[in-house]
Amino acid sequence: LGMDVDEIGLAPLPQDSDGIGTLAGGTHGMINPKASPEEIAAAVKYLSFYKFQQYTDEEYAVTSAEAQAADGSLVGNPAVPLVSNELVDQWLTWIDDDINVPRDHFEAYIASVTPGDADELPLIQEPRLAAQQIYAIEDTVIQTVLTDQAADIDALIADANDQAQAAIDEAASE
């Protein structure tokens, strides 16, 4: 979207002294329980292709990275790995010519989500209650902090905590 890629980075959230972890995130692939066995097999094949093909098929990985780069998309963004470190490293080697983000800007984040890394954080499941409401509350805090140099961060966090707890309490009572 026109942003200078040298201004892009990603890091884990600061942790308290005991550490708290990082949100695992993710998406779901759903298959209608009324689907036929053939439809289920096709859906599983598609989900496997969509999520994993880039890690196991060099031609697909390169073609996909080239297309993303040509579209102006970021190539080489880190994410919580769905596959082994070895497969991620293989994928990065395959797409190296098309990586258009400074991966060194992501080192702390990569260490925090890489299995077996000394800096790896525990993956925490999304909140079961009021997750989307909590995200909306957090978004407002983050946007305010990033756009208002005079933002009272402690007050914003305290208020967000109160709002989030109210949303959780309301969801729990339903």
Side-chain angles (χ1 to χ4, degrees), residues 7 20 45 52 61 74 82 86 105 122 129 135 147 164 166 169:
E7 300 294 323
I20 53 176
K45 186 175 181 178
F52 300 105
L74 300 179
L82 300 174
E86 294 78 20
H105 291 194
L129 297 173
Y135 297 153
T147 59
D169 292 345

Side-chain angles (χ1 to χ4, degrees), residues 10 37-38 40 64 72-73 75 79-80 88 107 127 132 145 148 153 159 161:
L10 191 59
E38 294 80 16
I40 292 170
S64 179
S73 297
V75 178
V80 174
V88 171
E107 287 176 358
Q132 296 308 311
V145 169
D148 180 358
I153 296 172
D159 183 50
N161 187 62

Side-chain angles (χ1 to χ4, degrees), residues 8-19:
I8 296 172
L10 191 59
L13 289 173
Q15 305 290 300
D16 69 14
S17 60
D18 295 327

Side-chain angles (χ1 to χ4, degrees), residues 79-85 88 110-118 120-121 123:
V80 174
L82 300 174
V83 295
S84 70
N85 297 345
V88 171
I110 292 168
S112 76
V113 297
T114 300
D117 193 289
E120 178 188 9
L121 296 174
L123 296 178

Side-chain angles (χ1 to χ4, degrees), residues 33-127:
K34 296 177 183 175
S36 70
E38 294 80 16
E39 291 169 327
I40 292 170
V44 169
K45 186 175 181 178
Y46 170 76
L47 290 170
S48 177
F49 162 79
Y50 181 71
K51 291 291 187 184
F52 300 105
Q53 189 78 15
Q54 67 185 359
Y55 299 110
T56 60
D57 182 329
E58 181 176 5
E59 181 179 354
Y60 174 77
V62 170
T63 301
S64 179
E66 288 172 347
Q68 290 171 355
D71 284 345
S73 297
L74 300 179
V75 178
N77 277 354
V80 174
L82 300 174
V83 295
S84 70
N85 297 345
E86 294 78 20
L87 287 177
V88 171
D89 291 343
Q90 174 179 272
W91 169 69
L92 289 169
T93 300
W94 289 342
I95 66 165
D96 187 57
D97 290 341
D98 293 296
I99 293 175
N100 58 11
V101 295
R103 286 197 46 97
D104 58 323
H105 291 194
F106 305 110
E107 287 176 358
Y109 175 78
I110 292 168
S112 76
V113 297
T114 300
D117 193 289
D119 295 324
E120 178 188 9
L121 296 174
L123 296 178
I124 306 299
Q125 187 176 26
E126 181 175 77

